[in-house]
Amino acid sequence: MSQLIRDYIELVWNQGRTEEAERFLTEDLIQHNPNLPNGRKPLVGFIDGFRKQLPEARFEIRRLAAEGDLVFIHSLFTAQPGHRGTAVVDVFRIANGLIAEHWDLREDVPETTASGNDIV
């Protein structure tokens, strides 16, 4: 399951190879992102538009964990080189070897933190 998610992020999101989406996503994907409807097709359309607007955008997975049918990733998203970035946590539910459900949370990376520790 972990490799499925690593490959999905790299191929579909980072490389924009949305023609590969059916290898990773169920057709009736349940989406909990408030800006996206359910289904593989709307997500593919979103990713295609996203990649056109931000061709250098990249997700760098920093942490990954799996439990049962869930995979959790903590990533640094950068829109372009030199961008401070956004910390992203994605949760994926896997069913029959495909991503069936998705949740995500985002927070912009601040210049500094009270603790001095990075947020990603």
Side-chain angles (χ1 to χ4, degrees):
M1 287 192 318
S2 297
Q3 193 59 50
L4 173 81
I5 298 303
R6 287 184 188 282
D7 291 347
Y8 166 67
I9 296 297
E10 181 55 35
L11 293 174
V12 178
W13 282 94
N14 289 343
Q15 295 180 23
R17 293 173 51 191
T18 54
E19 72 278 4
E20 301 281 337
E22 68 184 39
R23 287 182 40 205
F24 301 101
L25 302 164
T26 61
E27 186 174 348
D28 59 347
L29 171 72
I30 300 167
Q31 184 62 259
H32 296 278
N33 179 308
N35 301 308
L36 292 169
N38 289 332
R40 179 174 59 221
K41 188 175 179 179
L43 180 58
V44 165
F46 174 81
I47 295 169
D48 286 338
F50 171 86
R51 298 294 313 163
K52 284 179 185 157
Q53 289 183 337
L54 298 169
E56 296 181 276
R58 179 153 185 83
F59 286 89
E60 179 186 331
I61 297 174
R62 298 284 180 90
R63 289 164 196 82
L64 184 147
E67 181 177 337
D69 61 353
L70 299 175
V71 178
F72 307 81
I73 62 171
H74 185 204
S75 303
L76 175 63
F77 167 75
T78 51
Q80 58 196 22
H83 177 238
R84 184 177 303 128
T86 303
V88 180
V89 174
D90 288 284
V91 180
F92 301 95
R93 182 176 60 81
I94 310 301
N96 300 316
L98 296 172
I99 298 165
E101 196 165 3
H102 170 253
W103 299 259
D104 64 335
L105 301 165
R106 301 173 302 274
E107 182 176 350
D108 290 337
V109 174
E111 266 188 58
T112 60
T113 62
S115 65
N117 299 322
D118 294 333
I119 68 166
V120 184

